[in-house]
Amino acid sequence: MVWSRRYRRRLRTLGLGIVAFGSLLWGAVDIVGVPAENLLLLFGQAAIGVMALICAAACGGWLLHRIRRIKK
């Protein structure tokens, strides 16, 4: 199976991002001494916040689209 260069580049970037994220978590837990439970809790809260922001932006975009459509 031959993958395109573009797909391999995206896959490599994704892999490097996951490894970098894991390294940061490992460093925070092992070197700094942050409890893993606190780190996971904060990560979950940040993920929920990002999802809420994305949903709010999507709703705002949809609303602006509807308003422009009604004005025409």
Side-chain angles (χ1 to χ4, degrees):
M1 176 166 58
V2 178
W3 291 340
S4 70
R5 173 179 246 172
R6 189 168 160 188
Y7 180 76
R8 285 189 311 227
R9 196 176 316 144
R10 286 182 182 173
L11 192 61
R12 182 181 63 222
T13 302
L14 176 66
L16 288 173
I18 291 171
V19 169
F21 180 71
S23 298
L24 286 172
L25 288 179
W26 180 266
V29 171
D30 192 42
I31 297 171
V32 180
V34 176
E37 296 82 27
N38 291 354
L39 202 58
L40 289 176
L41 177 69
L42 290 173
F43 177 72
Q45 289 175 349
I48 290 171
V50 168
M51 284 188 279
L53 185 63
I54 289 171
C55 289
C59 290
W62 177 81
L63 186 61
L64 286 173
H65 176 71
R66 295 285 294 171
I67 290 171
R68 286 187 72 193
R69 207 158 145 208
I70 291 172
K71 284 186 177 181
K72 287 184 179 180

PDB file of all heavy atoms in Angstrom, residues 12-28:
ATOM      1  N   ARG A  12       2.692  11.943  10.172  1.00  0.00           N
ATOM      2  CA  ARG A  12       3.899  12.202  10.958  1.00  0.00           C
ATOM      3  C   ARG A  12       3.683  13.370  11.913  1.00  0.00           C
ATOM      4  O   ARG A  12       4.079  13.308  13.084  1.00  0.00           O
ATOM      5  CB  ARG A  12       5.073  12.489  10.017  1.00  0.00           C
ATOM      6  CG  ARG A  12       6.373  12.708  10.767  1.00  0.00           C
ATOM      7  CD  ARG A  12       7.519  13.012   9.838  1.00  0.00           C
ATOM      8  NE  ARG A  12       7.249  14.253   9.125  1.00  0.00           N
ATOM      9  CZ  ARG A  12       7.486  14.443   7.842  1.00  0.00           C
ATOM     10  NH1 ARG A  12       7.968  13.483   7.103  1.00  0.00           N
ATOM     11  NH2 ARG A  12       7.222  15.619   7.274  1.00  0.00           N
ATOM     12  N   THR A  13       3.022  14.431  11.447  1.00  0.00           N
ATOM     13  CA  THR A  13       2.747  15.586  12.304  1.00  0.00           C
ATOM     14  C   THR A  13       1.845  15.192  13.470  1.00  0.00           C
ATOM     15  O   THR A  13       2.071  15.598  14.609  1.00  0.00           O
ATOM     16  CB  THR A  13       2.093  16.713  11.484  1.00  0.00           C
ATOM     17  OG1 THR A  13       2.968  17.064  10.415  1.00  0.00           O
ATOM     18  CG2 THR A  13       1.823  17.926  12.339  1.00  0.00           C
ATOM     19  N   LEU A  14       0.833  14.389  13.181  1.00  0.00           N
ATOM     20  CA  LEU A  14      -0.059  13.914  14.239  1.00  0.00           C
ATOM     21  C   LEU A  14       0.711  13.084  15.263  1.00  0.00           C
ATOM     22  O   LEU A  14       0.565  13.278  16.472  1.00  0.00           O
ATOM     23  CB  LEU A  14      -1.195  13.093  13.637  1.00  0.00           C
ATOM     24  CG  LEU A  14      -2.166  12.454  14.629  1.00  0.00           C
ATOM     25  CD1 LEU A  14      -2.943  13.526  15.372  1.00  0.00           C
ATOM     26  CD2 LEU A  14      -3.092  11.514  13.901  1.00  0.00           C
ATOM     27  N   GLY A  15       1.545  12.180  14.776  1.00  0.00           N
ATOM     28  CA  GLY A  15       2.342  11.345  15.679  1.00  0.00           C
ATOM     29  C   GLY A  15       3.281  12.162  16.538  1.00  0.00           C
ATOM     30  O   GLY A  15       3.404  11.935  17.750  1.00  0.00           O
ATOM     31  N   LEU A  16       3.958  13.134  15.941  1.00  0.00           N
ATOM     32  CA  LEU A  16       4.868  13.977  16.708  1.00  0.00           C
ATOM     33  C   LEU A  16       4.111  14.820  17.732  1.00  0.00           C
ATOM     34  O   LEU A  16       4.601  15.034  18.842  1.00  0.00           O
ATOM     35  CB  LEU A  16       5.662  14.884  15.768  1.00  0.00           C
ATOM     36  CG  LEU A  16       6.726  14.191  14.924  1.00  0.00           C
ATOM     37  CD1 LEU A  16       7.312  15.172  13.922  1.00  0.00           C
ATOM     38  CD2 LEU A  16       7.803  13.603  15.798  1.00  0.00           C
ATOM     39  N   GLY A  17       2.923  15.280  17.382  1.00  0.00           N
ATOM     40  CA  GLY A  17       2.119  16.046  18.326  1.00  0.00           C
ATOM     41  C   GLY A  17       1.702  15.205  19.522  1.00  0.00           C
ATOM     42  O   GLY A  17       1.751  15.663  20.666  1.00  0.00           O
ATOM     43  N   ILE A  18       1.311  13.973  19.258  1.00  0.00           N
ATOM     44  CA  ILE A  18       0.910  13.076  20.351  1.00  0.00           C
ATOM     45  C   ILE A  18       2.094  12.758  21.249  1.00  0.00           C
ATOM     46  O   ILE A  18       1.985  12.769  22.481  1.00  0.00           O
ATOM     47  CB  ILE A  18       0.268  11.797  19.781  1.00  0.00           C
ATOM     48  CG1 ILE A  18      -1.086  12.137  19.152  1.00  0.00           C
ATOM     49  CG2 ILE A  18       0.120  10.728  20.862  1.00  0.00           C
ATOM     50  CD1 ILE A  18      -1.707  11.007  18.367  1.00  0.00           C
ATOM     51  N   VAL A  19       3.254  12.511  20.653  1.00  0.00           N
ATOM     52  CA  VAL A  19       4.459  12.225  21.443  1.00  0.00           C
ATOM     53  C   VAL A  19       4.863  13.445  22.273  1.00  0.00           C
ATOM     54  O   VAL A  19       5.229  13.319  23.447  1.00  0.00           O
ATOM     55  CB  VAL A  19       5.611  11.767  20.521  1.00  0.00           C
ATOM     56  CG1 VAL A  19       6.929  11.726  21.261  1.00  0.00           C
ATOM     57  CG2 VAL A  19       5.293  10.405  19.928  1.00  0.00           C
ATOM     58  N   ALA A  20       4.781  14.635  21.687  1.00  0.00           N
ATOM     59  CA  ALA A  20       5.126  15.861  22.422  1.00  0.00           C
ATOM     60  C   ALA A  20       4.169  16.082  23.588  1.00  0.00           C
ATOM     61  O   ALA A  20       4.588  16.450  24.688  1.00  0.00           O
ATOM     62  CB  ALA A  20       5.103  17.061  21.484  1.00  0.00           C
ATOM     63  N   PHE A  21       2.880  15.852  23.350  1.00  0.00           N
ATOM     64  CA  PHE A  21       1.897  16.004  24.424  1.00  0.00           C
ATOM     65  C   PHE A  21       2.177  15.009  25.559  1.00  0.00           C
ATOM     66  O   PHE A  21       2.148  15.365  26.735  1.00  0.00           O
ATOM     67  CB  PHE A  21       0.492  15.803  23.862  1.00  0.00           C
ATOM     68  CG  PHE A  21      -0.594  15.933  24.879  1.00  0.00           C
ATOM     69  CD1 PHE A  21      -0.906  17.168  25.409  1.00  0.00           C
ATOM     70  CD2 PHE A  21      -1.293  14.827  25.309  1.00  0.00           C
ATOM     71  CE1 PHE A  21      -1.906  17.302  26.355  1.00  0.00           C
ATOM     72  CE2 PHE A  21      -2.294  14.941  26.254  1.00  0.00           C
ATOM     73  CZ  PHE A  21      -2.596  16.186  26.782  1.00  0.00           C
ATOM     74  N   GLY A  22       2.454  13.781  25.181  1.00  0.00           N
ATOM     75  CA  GLY A  22       2.782  12.775  26.197  1.00  0.00           C
ATOM     76  C   GLY A  22       4.028  13.146  26.983  1.00  0.00           C
ATOM     77  O   GLY A  22       4.097  12.937  28.201  1.00  0.00           O
ATOM     78  N   SER A  23       5.033  13.702  26.308  1.00  0.00           N
ATOM     79  CA  SER A  23       6.255  14.119  26.988  1.00  0.00           C
ATOM     80  C   SER A  23       5.984  15.232  27.989  1.00  0.00           C
ATOM     81  O   SER A  23       6.546  15.246  29.092  1.00  0.00           O
ATOM     82  CB  SER A  23       7.288  14.593  25.965  1.00  0.00           C
ATOM     83  OG  SER A  23       7.620  13.553  25.102  1.00  0.00           O
ATOM     84  N   LEU A  24       5.132  16.176  27.595  1.00  0.00           N
ATOM     85  CA  LEU A  24       4.786  17.256  28.524  1.00  0.00           C
ATOM     86  C   LEU A  24       4.060  16.724  29.753  1.00  0.00           C
ATOM     87  O   LEU A  24       4.330  17.145  30.882  1.00  0.00           O
ATOM     88  CB  LEU A  24       3.928  18.299  27.821  1.00  0.00           C
ATOM     89  CG  LEU A  24       4.670  19.204  26.831  1.00  0.00           C
ATOM     90  CD1 LEU A  24       3.675  20.060  26.068  1.00  0.00           C
ATOM     91  CD2 LEU A  24       5.667  20.078  27.553  1.00  0.00           C
ATOM     92  N   LEU A  25       3.124  15.813  29.536  1.00  0.00           N
ATOM     93  CA  LEU A  25       2.419  15.221  30.679  1.00  0.00           C
ATOM     94  C   LEU A  25       3.378  14.446  31.574  1.00  0.00           C
ATOM     95  O   LEU A  25       3.329  14.551  32.803  1.00  0.00           O
ATOM     96  CB  LEU A  25       1.292  14.303  30.202  1.00  0.00           C
ATOM     97  CG  LEU A  25       0.067  14.980  29.611  1.00  0.00           C
ATOM     98  CD1 LEU A  25      -0.937  13.933  29.168  1.00  0.00           C
ATOM     99  CD2 LEU A  25      -0.565  15.925  30.599  1.00  0.00           C
ATOM    100  N   TRP A  26       4.239  13.659  30.953  1.00  0.00           N
ATOM    101  CA  TRP A  26       5.202  12.861  31.716  1.00  0.00           C
ATOM    102  C   TRP A  26       6.121  13.782  32.523  1.00  0.00           C
ATOM    103  O   TRP A  26       6.396  13.533  33.697  1.00  0.00           O
ATOM    104  CB  TRP A  26       6.024  11.990  30.777  1.00  0.00           C
ATOM    105  CG  TRP A  26       7.029  11.163  31.493  1.00  0.00           C
ATOM    106  CD1 TRP A  26       8.337  11.473  31.714  1.00  0.00           C
ATOM    107  CD2 TRP A  26       6.807   9.910  32.126  1.00  0.00           C
ATOM    108  NE1 TRP A  26       8.942  10.480  32.424  1.00  0.00           N
ATOM    109  CE2 TRP A  26       8.022   9.510  32.692  1.00  0.00           C
ATOM    110  CE3 TRP A  26       5.688   9.082  32.255  1.00  0.00           C
ATOM    111  CZ2 TRP A  26       8.151   8.310  33.378  1.00  0.00           C
ATOM    112  CZ3 TRP A  26       5.825   7.897  32.939  1.00  0.00           C
ATOM    113  CH2 TRP A  26       7.042   7.526  33.497  1.00  0.00           C
ATOM    114  N   GLY A  27       6.585  14.857  31.900  1.00  0.00           N
ATOM    115  CA  GLY A  27       7.455  15.790  32.612  1.00  0.00           C
ATOM    116  C   GLY A  27       6.749  16.470  33.768  1.00  0.00           C
ATOM    117  O   GLY A  27       7.332  16.661  34.835  1.00  0.00           O
ATOM    118  N   ALA A  28       5.482  16.815  33.572  1.00  0.00           N
ATOM    119  CA  ALA A  28       4.735  17.469  34.648  1.00  0.00           C
ATOM    120  C   ALA A  28       4.529  16.521  35.825  1.00  0.00           C
ATOM    121  O   ALA A  28       4.636  16.918  36.981  1.00  0.00           O
ATOM    122  CB  ALA A  28       3.393  17.971  34.130  1.00  0.00           C
TER     123      ALA A  28
END
